[in-house]
Amino acid sequence: MSTTSTMSAPRASDTSAPVSVTARGLWRGGRGFVALGLLVVLVAVATALVTGTSTEGRRLDPADTTLEGSKALARLLADRGVRVERVTTVDEIERLDGPDSQLLVYDTWSLGQDDLERLAGTQADRLIIGVNSGLPLLAPGITPRSAASLRSREPGCALPAAARAGSAYIGGVTFDVPGRGALGCYAGPEGPSLVRVSGPLTGPSTVTVAGDDSFMTNQRLGEDGNAALALNLAGAKPVLIWLVPGDTSAAVGTGDATPADLIPAGVIWGLVQLVIALLVVALWRGRRLGPVVVEKLPVVVRAAETAEGRGRLYRARRARDRASAALRAASASRLTPRLGLPADATPDEIVAAAALKSGRDAVWVRSVMYGPIPADDAALVALAGHLDTLERQVRES
């Protein structure tokens, strides 16, 4: 009996060999870190570009080219031969003070009581824009009266600077005219929005106060007669001393600096970068949810179908009374919170507040909100348009 023994050679699959690290494996393992690093670099570059070029950005700053700035007005004044001096401290104002100069002030939050008294003792004429803490000292006799909507207004006065400019986009705050030696312009039901006073109250200086600064900004300068009004007011003297508040150096000099004023701008951008990096890491290492489960609906109903169906029913039955009542009730419910009124406000309260906010006549507002039932479909459509106009004016005021 013979036996046959078979010996098989080992196969390649039965042996183990060391695996070397490849470039492809390294890329798969480290591509997340590379993407994170690139994102941080891009954010840093964008931050450097923004902080490196954005040296301006103050409202009514003669060196600011944004919509809120007033560099366009400063250039127009320079073309007319007016020397515009941008200052940030009271010492600079006193150095430039004189009978041939005018001081433009639009915010005095960085100035103390002593600084305001020093400004009140200067010889220069004063152009004060808006209401600020220095109004009692810088414009004696002129007191704020009430708020007024910003809109195009006619001058309605004999002041040459306003009469030559014509209509202007102004409002904001109205003032009480002191009386003798004073002129009030751009008046509405609430009072004038521009007042000029000269005489015993202001001494050798002429003081002009405007209720809002929008007509002097780059955004509004080209509208109506805004440019002419701004040039006539700011260019009345050969030298315009333009006080720009808010600089850290000015605030520190007066002792009114806040902790926020002492924080460099780069710190804020550094914190923004850290927050972005934290969000990226959270998204990268966080648990990933599964795909959204979409459920098939038996029927798709458009959201506006109910409103359209009810409108067709109103039209078929010629129920203009119900339709107009629904439009007015919906408009009143939307206007009430915007006007700061409670939900149970009376019609008289709503009409008075809406007229004051929109600048419309109270009789017209009452006719739109609580007037008679439209006589035909065209009148109903016109009513809807008037309600939309009233809501838009209240919203944009």
Side-chain angles (χ1 to χ4, degrees):
M1 181 176 180
S2 62
T3 59
T4 304
S5 61
T6 304
M7 298 182 62
S8 59
R11 293 175 295 179
S13 60
D14 296 337
T15 61
S16 61
V19 179
S20 60
V21 179
T22 62
R24 186 174 183 180
L26 288 175
W27 167 248
R28 287 181 175 178
R31 58 188 177 184
F33 295 99
V34 173
L36 178 61
L38 289 175
L39 181 60
V40 172
V41 170
L42 290 175
V43 173
V45 171
T47 303
L49 291 176
V50 171
T51 56
T53 58
S54 180
T55 57
E56 304 166 337
R58 302 179 189 274
R59 183 171 180 83
L60 223 67
D61 191 334
D64 182 16
T65 58
T66 64
L67 295 178
E68 300 295 321
S70 295
K71 191 167 186 177
L73 175 58
R75 288 185 175 179
L76 291 176
L77 289 169
D79 293 341
R80 293 184 58 175
V82 178
R83 181 161 60 96
V84 179
E85 295 287 347
R86 180 183 184 274
V87 300
T88 57
T89 62
V90 179
D91 293 336
E92 295 176 278
I93 295 174
E94 291 180 335
R95 178 176 55 84
L96 298 168
D97 183 33
D100 293 332
S101 60
Q102 180 175 220
L103 173 62
L104 190 154
V105 180
Y106 62 96
D107 194 351
T108 57
W109 68 268
S110 62
L111 302 177
Q113 185 69 17
D114 294 340
D115 294 326
L116 294 175
E117 293 177 355
R118 290 166 63 187
L119 291 182
T122 57
Q123 304 178 42
D125 291 348
R126 293 189 285 274
L127 174 59
I128 304 172
I129 309 298
V131 177
N132 53 67
S133 60
L135 195 61
L137 284 174
L138 300 180
I142 302 178
T143 55
R145 183 175 181 181
S146 62
S149 59
L150 288 172
R151 59 184 178 88
S152 180
R153 300 173 184 266
E154 295 296 331
C157 66
L159 182 65
R164 291 195 301 267
S167 63
Y169 186 83
I170 197 170
V173 178
T174 60
F175 304 94
D176 286 327
V177 181
R180 189 174 182 181
L183 286 175
C185 302
Y186 299 102
E190 308 87 355
S193 299
L194 178 70
V195 178
R196 171 167 288 183
V197 180
S198 59
L201 287 175
T202 60
S205 303
T206 298
V207 178
T208 307
V209 181
D212 185 75
D213 58 10
S214 299
F215 71 98
M216 303 179 72
T217 62
N218 297 329
Q219 181 180 12
R220 298 285 186 180
L221 193 64
E223 300 177 2
D224 291 339
N226 294 349
L229 178 62
L231 287 172
N232 294 339
L233 294 178
K237 291 297 181 72
V239 179
L240 178 64
I241 309 172
W242 200 313
L243 177 60
V244 178
D247 283 349
T248 302
S249 57
V252 173
T254 59
D256 294 333
T258 63
D261 298 328
L262 304 178
I263 299 176
V267 174
I268 305 299
W269 286 105
L271 292 176
V272 172
Q273 294 182 49
L274 290 177
V275 170
I276 293 176
L278 180 62
L279 291 176
V280 171
V281 173
L283 292 174
W284 171 44
R285 301 298 296 177
R287 170 177 286 185
R288 290 173 173 80
L289 302 177
V292 178
V293 177
V294 180
E295 180 182 0
K296 287 187 176 182
L297 299 176
V299 64
V300 178
V301 180
R302 293 186 301 113
E305 186 170 336
T306 302
E308 291 179 0
R310 180 168 294 185
R312 293 191 188 99
L313 289 175
Y314 284 157
R315 183 176 181 181
R317 306 304 299 177
R318 297 181 180 178
R320 285 184 289 272
D321 54 345
R322 293 177 177 271
S324 60
L327 289 173
R328 284 166 169 161
S331 181
S333 65
R334 290 189 294 268
L335 285 174
T336 300
R338 289 189 175 274
L339 297 173
L341 298 175
D344 57 349
T346 63
D348 292 338
E349 294 174 341
I350 296 176
V351 169
L356 179 62
K357 190 76 172 175
S358 64
R360 288 279 190 168
D361 184 67
V363 176
W364 181 86
V365 175
R366 182 178 295 277
S367 175
V368 171
M369 295 293 299
Y370 304 101
I373 299 172
D376 50 26
D377 291 345
L380 181 62
V381 173
L383 173 63
H386 293 326
L387 290 172
D388 288 340
T389 300
L390 178 60
E391 290 186 41
R392 185 181 70 254
Q393 291 177 346
V394 170
R395 183 172 59 252
E396 294 176 354
S397 61

